[in-house]
Amino acid sequence: MTDLKCKLLIIGAGPGGYVCAIRAGQLGVDTIVVDESKPGGTCLNVGCIPSKALIHAAEEFYRISAANAGPLGISASAPSIDLGKTIEWKDGIVARLNGGVSALMKKAGARFVEGRARFIDGKTISVIKDGQEIQIRAEHVVIATGSAPMELPFLPFGGDVMSSTEALELTGVPKTLAVVGGGYIGLELGTAFAKLGAKVTVVEAAERILPTYDKALTQPVAKRLDALGVTVMTGAKAQAYEGGALMTDQGAVQAEKVLVTVGRRPRTQGIGVEELSLTMDGPFIKIDNACQTSMRGIYAIGDVCGEPMLAHRAMAQGEMVAEHVAGHAVEWDKRAMPAVCFTDPEIVTCGALPSEIDGTKSVDFPFMANGRAMTCEREDGFIRVVYREDDNAIVGLQAVGEGMSEMSAAFSLAIEMGTCLEDIGATIHAHPTRSEGLQEACLKALGHALHI
């Protein structure tokens, strides 16, 4: 058994963990990162990056497939897809990013130890790999173990019942696919497989899809799903998978494969967290505004702390914790944190929603009045601005439309910088772009929109 010592020990090399390690190394903090898998965590290996690669491939395939039916005068022979080759391409991207993350941690001076970690006490961690144990003692420990897909007892993962992880490894497009859960993960992957040619049925227990988003933002997504031939069953409960069919309280759904996306659970079991008697918030670890837990010297970041489970939230928390350990006066501020749903069309939210804060109003600008949206045959959706009535300060921005994920930085920057309607209204926006919708929404709120 070999013992190691460091100032900062990070359990988990996902987005939060590796960013924490890189920043800590930059600040001269002696850092060790422990993970039993490759650096990058769920996001890089089996989540954000792989799913966006599949979504992109599906969109390219669908554009070619649908060209003959469009008004553009384009003729194309029937396309085909080798999904196995697509998965190889996706895996190549993941491998490149794995190597990049490892190189960045090494460059910053952080050491990576591969193996499964478990607390011995608040300062000591046991790491086991291939039956060999290493003990690491640290002044500060960061729990950054992330989350895992939730399993339903009547739909256990295995065989034809998949989590998002297995769905991203399929080498063939199923003829029929049932998606249990109409949240962002289920709809992102369900839409991709529908564009690849699968007959997709979404089973959602709530009365509408994307129930955590406000209804106005989800309506264009629901309309698009219908246009893609996706069947959506709302207010429906899955019960079992028998004989190639998903059984629900609204009848049987024929399904070659079943994708279960009903949420994610924090990965806190098996690392000895329960033995530390940390204060919990339900299944999540409770933290303060510096991401410190109830035990001095132990921090927690990312999905183990609860919603919103976003990679960029974990990254920001990891950076902040590294600075806190280095002695900087920092604390968590999430007011300008954007969230993106990569459905078709995409949804972006940042800051307050309409009516969430007293004394605010909201207006929206529809893409049907936007020249760039028209030339791309995608006039669905809008950009919305939420502002305080007394001083016109922008406190929230939301949008639904094609390519809206790229507006997320503008939204968070506007709120972070404390901009007012007049600031964005007076800023020249390039024409023709969808981003003009942001300026037009602000001008509309001021009473003098130019193009509606």
Side-chain angles (χ1 to χ4, degrees), residues 177-191:
L177 173 68
V179 180
V180 180
Y184 72 96
I185 297 175
L187 293 189
E188 286 180 6
L189 295 179
T191 299

Side-chain angles (χ1 to χ4, degrees), residues 188-258:
E188 286 180 6
L189 295 179
T191 299
F193 280 105
K195 289 179 177 180
L196 291 172
K199 173 56 181 175
V200 177
T201 301
V202 176
V203 178
E204 168 57 50
E207 293 305 312
R208 61 182 179 86
I209 58 170
L210 298 169
T212 60
Y213 288 82
D214 82 67
K215 190 174 182 179
L217 291 171
T218 65
Q219 285 177 334
V221 177
K223 186 175 180 180
R224 181 64 169 165
L225 287 171
D226 184 63
L228 291 170
V230 176
T231 300
V232 177
M233 298 169 59
T234 55
K237 295 180 180 180
Q239 298 172 329
Y241 183 61
E242 301 172 354
L246 176 69
M247 311 307 294
T248 79
D249 60 355
Q250 294 185 13
V253 176
Q254 293 301 309
E256 183 181 326
K257 299 285 185 181
V258 176

Side-chain angles (χ1 to χ4, degrees), residues 13 34-41 45 98 112-116 267:
V34 178
D35 201 308
E36 59 184 325
S37 302
K38 295 178 181 179
N45 293 295
N98 282 142
F112 180 73
V113 175
E114 187 175 349
R116 185 169 182 80
R267 280 197 177 104

